[in-house]
């Protein structure tokens, strides 16, 4: 059996570790209100239990004719210049009363670029916010939903704050008043009884309100202290490393503050006196333990911004709030930084985040509740590449390319060649087949869902009714046997193993056969009116039964058969909950022991007793590590899930809404292969 690594948190078929790259933030590529509308063109495959007679075209993202200007919109774009720095963010301007123009920014950009805190709201047309203001009397902004974004009318907010705003083509230029940072003070906060970790607070005093951003960085590698005995190996630290966080403010810090927090060169290690060694010969000479690492690592001014770099111990994270009188940023370093939230984002779509208690443990869960029966709300699989199945991208980029209003990462993939490792079916067409009888979710456009462990059984029927099993369809998971590749894979197929035999099938007839040669060398065109069959390892002996010119057909069925009734499927696993009962069987779904035991950030999808769909992201428990699979299943059950599926997780976990990630900093999210998008159909007049 030929094995290739699977990609998830660290989910590999052979148990090896996972590494994902490219965690940089990126710029949105499309906007629903810009010059071009992107749409999905799809055709429908034959029924899953029938033999396909012709090969259908693959769903592709293609550019259509330019859309006419939106009624009532004077100008729009997808870039924001904030005090000279150009950043991604959708916006539009409308004619207002008395000839004035109103300015509207997508809520994701407004929240992330300005540092505005969204408060709970049950009215999707109004969004209360808090920004250097009183929580008892929050400012309420009017909202409007256009395309894939929800826009906030910031006209009065900007005027009150003294902002200057001007549209310049695709870019909205914003200039905020110059701000001075007058003081930065750190203090220790006594730990609460339920959270014994030492907490800290940083107070940043300002002469006026100003935009700010908080970004989570990577783990900080600590230099290891060598042993004084050359024959004794240096022990590895059992304490998880600190994590870097940066707080960036549009303002200039007083030079005294910069000097106060300028890092000093490290002092040389001090050995205990030799006298101590003579008096206590059984005690080895050791280095005096270093002082605790300072929380504030550095304060610097770069391009009229003040950047505060923090080194935050494991189990703690910053929670940033703003107050007025005096204008102040309060940075609480806490084990439980999640701010509970319940916001009706639009009709049928609700953003929530709370702590869920599991015994004595508390887990932060961020989720979206979707009413799939609400008019205009639909779900569709989406994948990274517009040209085939090979490729990965940040979920934000994929969601914006598809014009999804919301979404979550989906199934597993091979991190090396960026190929899918599980079921993807859209509009009744298989893009990629399932593997290893793993858990999957299926649904239709009427808001009906089905959860189970999925197998696709394809059989090649040759002359004299010879029947040969096709093990995999458009899959990056490789074993001995026969696999099939259609145009959904891409325009060409490149051998995934050495010495494959490749058969070309066109209009149900084998038109060519030849050796594939070395892995990854020769690309073979996939016919538009057929498919390729690859015979690997022991299956190459079947080539004598499939001569050129012979007629072949394919029978196809799912197990359970219920899956074949649904046009959309995403496979991941393991299955967590079915019929309200925990049915976790990761071993049975062929997950590795390392993956089963691992604690990791988790993505999940489930349905409730009321028919509501929930897509969830669960991160580190308060003061500790992420949940394991068993805890994830229990959490989903506690949240009211009737049926629930574990999706790819770890650095892949990404919960998207309206241009933003809700659960993490975009810089910490890995590129993913596929996801589940939530779409709003435009209302007909």
């Amino acid at each position: 059996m030929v094995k290739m690594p699977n990609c998830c948190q660290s989910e590999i078929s052979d148990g090896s570790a996972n590494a994902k790259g490219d965690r940089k933030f990126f710029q949105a590529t499309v906007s629903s209100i810009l010059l071009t509308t992107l749409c999905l063109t799809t055709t429908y495959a034959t029924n899953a239990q029938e033999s396909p007679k012709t090969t259908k075209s693959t769903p592709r993202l293609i550019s259509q004719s330019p859309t006419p200007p939106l009624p009532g919109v004077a100008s729009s774009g997808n870039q924001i210049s904030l005090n000279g720095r150009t950043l991604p963010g959708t916006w539009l301007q409308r004619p207002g009363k008395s000839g004035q123009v109103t300015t509207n920014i997508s809520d994701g950009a407004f929240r992330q670029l300005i540092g505005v805190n969204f408060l709970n709201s049950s009215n999707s047309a109004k969004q209360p916010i808090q920004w250097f203001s009183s929580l008892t009397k929050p400012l309420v902004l009017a909202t409007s939903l256009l395309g894939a974004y929800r826009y906030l009318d910031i006209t009065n907010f900007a005027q009150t704050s003294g902002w200057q705003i001007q549209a310049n083509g695709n870019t909205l230029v914003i200039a905020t008043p110059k701000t001075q940072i007058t003081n930065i003070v750190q203090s220790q906060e006594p730990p609460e009884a339920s959270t014994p970790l030492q907490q800290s607070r940083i107070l940043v005093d300002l002469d006026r309100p100003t935009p700010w951003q908080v970004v989570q960085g990577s783990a900080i590698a600590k230099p290891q202290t060598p042993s004084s005995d050359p024959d004794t190996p240096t022990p590895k630290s059992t304490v998880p490393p600190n994590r870097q966080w940066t707080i960036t403010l549009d303002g200039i810090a007083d030079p005294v503050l910069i000097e106060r927090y300028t890092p000093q060169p490290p002092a040389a290690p001090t050995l205990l006196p030799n006298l101590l060694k003579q008096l206590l010969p059984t005690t080895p000479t050791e280095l005096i333990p270093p002082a605790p690492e300072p929380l504030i690592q550095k304060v610097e001014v770069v391009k009229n911004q003040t950047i505060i770099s923090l080194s935050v111990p494991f189990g703690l994270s910053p929670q940033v709030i703003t107050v007025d009188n005096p204008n102040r940023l309060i940075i609480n370093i806490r084990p439980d930084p999640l701010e509970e939230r319940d916001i009706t984002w639009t009709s049928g779509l609700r953003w929530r985040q709370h702590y869920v208690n599991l015994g004595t443990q508390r887990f932060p869960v961020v989720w979206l509740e979707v009413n799939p029966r609400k008019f205009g709300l639909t779900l569709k699989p989406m994948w990274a590449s517009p040209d085939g199945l090979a490729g990965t991208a940040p979920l934000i980029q994929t969601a914006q390319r598809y014009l999804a209003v919301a979404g979550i990462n989906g199934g597993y993939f091979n991190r090396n060649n960026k190929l899918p490792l599980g079921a993807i079916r859209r509009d009744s067409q298989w893009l990629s087949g399932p593997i290893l009888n793993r858990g999957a979710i299926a649904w239709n456009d009427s808001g009906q869902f089905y959860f189970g462990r999925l197998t696709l059984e394809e059989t090649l029927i040759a002359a004299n009714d010879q029947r040969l099993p096709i093990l995999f369809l458009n899959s990056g998971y490789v074993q001995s046997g026969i696999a099939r590749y259609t145009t959904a894979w891409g325009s060409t197929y490149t051998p995934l193993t050495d010495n494959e035999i490749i058969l070309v099938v066109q209009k149900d007839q084998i038109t060519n056969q030849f050796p594939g040669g070395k892995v990854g060398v020769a690309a073979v065109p996939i016919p538009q009116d057929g498919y390729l069959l690859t015979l690997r390892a022991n299956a190459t002996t079947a080539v004598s039964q499939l001569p050129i010119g012979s007629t072949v057909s394919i029978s196809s069925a799912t197990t359970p058969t219920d899956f074949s009734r649904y046009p959309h499927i995403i496979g991941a696993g393991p299955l967590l909950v079915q019929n309200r009962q925990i049915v976790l069987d990761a071993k049975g779904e062929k997950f590795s022991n390392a993956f089963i035991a691992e604690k990791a950030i988790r993505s999940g999808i489930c349905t409730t007793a009321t028919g509501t769909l929930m897509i969830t992201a669960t991160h580190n428990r308060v003061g500790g590590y992420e949940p394991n699979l068993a805890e994830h299943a229990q959490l989903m059950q506690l949240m009211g899930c009737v049926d629930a599926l574990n999706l790819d997780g770890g650095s892949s976990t990404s919960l998207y809404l309206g241009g933003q990630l809700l659960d993490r900093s975009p810089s910490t999210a890995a590129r993913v292969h596929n996801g589940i998008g939530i779409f709003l159909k435009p209302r007909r007049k």
Side-chain angles (χ1 to χ4, degrees):
M1 180 177 72
V2 182
K3 287 188 176 181
M4 298 185 71
N6 300 354
C7 178
C8 58
Q9 297 111 338
S10 57
E11 199 293 297
I12 314 289
S13 60
D14 58 2
S16 58
N18 171 42
K20 294 183 179 177
D22 194 355
R23 300 180 178 181
K24 296 181 180 179
F25 189 61
F26 42 83
Q27 185 169 334
T29 57
V30 296
S31 167
S32 60
I33 56 172
L34 298 181
L35 296 178
T36 308
T37 296
L38 295 177
C39 73
L40 289 169
T41 60
T42 60
T43 55
Y44 292 84
T46 54
N47 186 284
Q49 296 187 1
E50 297 176 354
S51 300
K53 300 301 181 184
T54 58
T55 301
K56 301 297 183 177
S57 62
T58 306
R60 291 282 190 263
L61 283 173
I62 62 173
S63 178
Q64 299 295 314
S65 58
T67 57
L70 291 173
V73 175
S75 57
S76 61
N78 66 352
Q79 290 188 153
I80 295 174
S81 173
L82 179 61
N83 295 322
R85 299 177 309 280
T86 301
L87 305 162
T90 55
W91 60 273
L92 57 86
Q93 288 187 328
R94 290 181 167 127
K97 297 178 180 179
S98 304
Q100 295 181 342
V101 173
T102 64
T103 300
N104 302 261
I105 295 180
S106 62
D107 61 353
F110 194 52
R111 174 173 167 261
Q112 292 184 332
L113 302 183
I114 309 302
V116 172
N117 183 29
F118 288 2
L119 305 179
N120 293 341
S121 173
S122 58
N123 183 354
S124 63
K126 298 183 181 298
Q127 179 58 62
I129 65 169
Q130 192 272 330
W131 191 74
F132 298 98
S133 56
S134 170
L135 284 170
T136 57
K137 294 183 179 180
L139 180 64
V140 179
L141 304 183
T143 74
S144 57
L145 193 65
L146 282 177
Y149 301 94
R150 185 177 77 147
Y151 293 88
L152 304 179
D153 184 347
I154 67 162
T155 309
N156 293 335
F157 172 90
Q159 185 175 5
T160 303
S161 302
W163 294 5
Q164 294 181 351
I165 296 180
Q166 182 178 358
N168 183 12
N170 185 48
T171 304
L172 184 70
V173 180
I174 300 177
T176 66
K178 292 183 178 180
T179 302
Q180 294 292 322
I181 299 170
T182 58
N183 201 7
I184 302 175
V185 178
Q186 178 184 339
S187 64
Q188 293 296 123
E189 294 293 311
E192 300 174 7
S194 59
T195 55
L197 290 176
Q198 185 64 55
Q199 301 173 65
S200 299
R201 169 174 287 181
I202 300 171
L203 305 178
V204 182
D205 290 337
L206 314 165
D207 67 346
R208 66 190 312 142
T210 194
W212 60 271
Q213 304 93 38
V214 57
V215 175
Q216 180 181 356
S218 57
I220 301 173
K222 292 184 178 181
Q224 293 187 350
T225 303
S227 171
S228 58
D229 185 351
D231 297 326
T232 303
T234 302
K236 293 184 178 180
S237 174
T238 58
V239 179
N242 287 13
R243 183 168 289 276
Q244 183 184 41
W245 289 81
T246 56
I247 313 294
T248 304
L249 301 97
D250 278 60
I252 306 297
D254 190 292
V256 174
L257 301 177
I258 298 174
E259 184 178 355
R260 181 191 303 172
Y261 295 106
T262 298
Q264 301 299 317
T270 305
L271 297 175
L272 292 173
N274 289 331
L275 178 60
L276 181 60
K277 181 178 179 180
Q278 296 171 5
L279 294 175
L280 302 171
T282 58
T283 302
T285 303
E286 293 181 336
L287 297 174
I288 295 177
E293 192 171 354
L295 174 62
I296 301 177
Q297 294 282 291
K298 181 170 58 174
V299 175
E300 57 183 333
V301 175
V302 179
K303 296 181 179 179
N304 296 321
Q305 284 186 306
T306 295
I307 302 173
I308 305 173
S309 299
L310 306 179
S311 175
V312 180
F314 172 79
L316 300 171
S317 296
Q319 179 194 76
V320 185
I321 58 175
T322 59
V323 296
D324 56 354
N325 296 322
N327 295 305
R328 175 175 285 173
L329 215 67
I330 302 175
I331 307 167
N332 292 315
I333 309 299
R334 300 178 55 90
D336 53 349
L338 183 74
E339 296 180 66
E340 298 200 346
R341 189 166 284 136
D342 188 345
I343 294 173
T344 299
W345 196 80
T346 190
S347 179
L349 181 56
R350 189 174 169 193
W351 164 19
R352 302 186 67 189
Q353 52 190 53
H354 295 280
Y355 284 96
V356 179
N357 296 329
L358 181 59
T360 59
Q361 305 293 308
R362 299 177 66 211
F363 290 89
V365 185
V366 183
W367 75 96
L368 294 176
E369 293 183 1
V370 184
N371 181 351
R373 297 169 306 283
K374 206 74 178 178
F375 176 80
L377 275 180
T378 60
L379 279 78
K380 300 274 188 179
M382 52 188 184
W383 54 97
S385 173
D387 301 318
L389 291 184
T392 58
L395 184 71
I396 292 183
Q397 181 175 308
T398 300
Q400 290 174 331
R401 183 164 58 83
Y402 276 79
L403 299 180
V405 297
I408 194 168
N409 62 291
Y412 303 115
F413 55 96
N414 183 302
R415 73 179 185 273
N416 297 319
N417 54 26
K418 304 173 184 178
L419 297 175
L421 294 169
I424 307 173
R425 176 175 161 98
R426 178 172 173 137
D427 295 325
S428 298
Q429 179 181 357
W430 286 106
L431 282 302
S432 180
I435 64 172
L436 302 173
N437 194 36
R438 289 183 170 174
I441 177 175
W443 68 94
N444 59 27
D445 293 331
S446 299
Q448 297 172 313
F449 296 88
Y450 182 80
F451 291 75
R453 297 185 178 96
L454 170 64
T455 299
L456 175 65
E457 297 169 350
E458 285 198 333
T459 302
L460 183 70
I461 305 171
N464 300 321
D465 201 32
Q466 297 179 86
R467 294 175 177 265
L468 301 171
I470 298 175
L471 298 183
F472 298 103
L473 171 63
N474 291 338
S475 179
Y477 185 72
V478 179
Q479 286 186 312
S480 172
I482 302 176
R484 187 164 75 98
Y485 293 90
T486 71
T487 52
W489 182 259
S491 59
T492 62
Y493 166 79
T494 303
L496 298 177
T497 60
D498 290 338
N499 304 317
E500 297 177 354
I501 300 295
I502 297 177
L503 307 182
V504 181
V505 180
Q506 294 176 272
K507 297 180 179 179
D508 296 333
Q509 188 176 49
I510 297 175
T511 60
N512 201 357
Q513 60 175 236
F514 49 86
K518 289 289 186 181
V519 59
V521 175
V524 181
I526 300 175
Q528 290 290 324
D529 56 353
Y531 50 86
L532 298 181
L533 295 173
T534 64
L535 282 57
R536 300 183 179 122
N538 296 337
T540 56
T541 58
V543 70
S544 60
Q545 306 172 52
L546 302 167
I548 294 176
S550 59
T551 300
V552 294
S553 61
I554 293 174
S555 68
S556 179
T558 62
T559 302
T561 57
D562 288 331
F563 273 108
S564 65
R565 297 189 293 107
Y566 294 87
H568 314 298
I569 296 175
I570 283 288
L575 191 64
L576 300 176
V577 179
Q578 206 167 25
N579 231 3
R580 294 185 174 85
Q581 301 301 311
I582 292 177
V583 295
L584 176 63
D585 184 10
K587 200 75 173 176
E589 295 186 28
K590 304 297 191 299
F591 287 96
S592 67
N593 291 331
F595 175 73
I596 294 171
E598 184 182 25
K599 290 182 171 68
I601 299 169
R602 303 286 175 185
S603 298
I605 186 167
C606 85
T607 52
T608 69
T610 61
T612 298
L613 180 82
M614 297 197 301
I615 51 177
T616 68
T618 306
H619 286 253
N620 294 43
R621 74 193 73 204
V622 172
Y625 290 97
E626 308 93 337
N628 58 31
L629 278 174
E631 289 171 325
H632 191 210
Q634 294 175 71
L635 288 167
M636 298 295 275
Q637 187 185 50
L638 285 170
M639 291 177 65
C641 295
V642 174
D643 298 293
L645 176 70
N646 183 74
L647 301 173
D648 187 12
S651 58
S652 291
T653 293
S654 304
L655 186 61
Y656 171 87
L657 177 66
Q660 63 185 319
L661 290 187
L662 301 181
D663 66 306
R664 68 194 310 163
S665 296
S667 59
T668 69
R671 300 167 70 93
V672 297
H673 180 275
N674 59 81
I676 300 172
I678 299 169
F679 299 86
L680 277 171
K681 292 181 180 178
R683 293 181 180 273
R684 295 178 181 177
K685 293 185 177 180

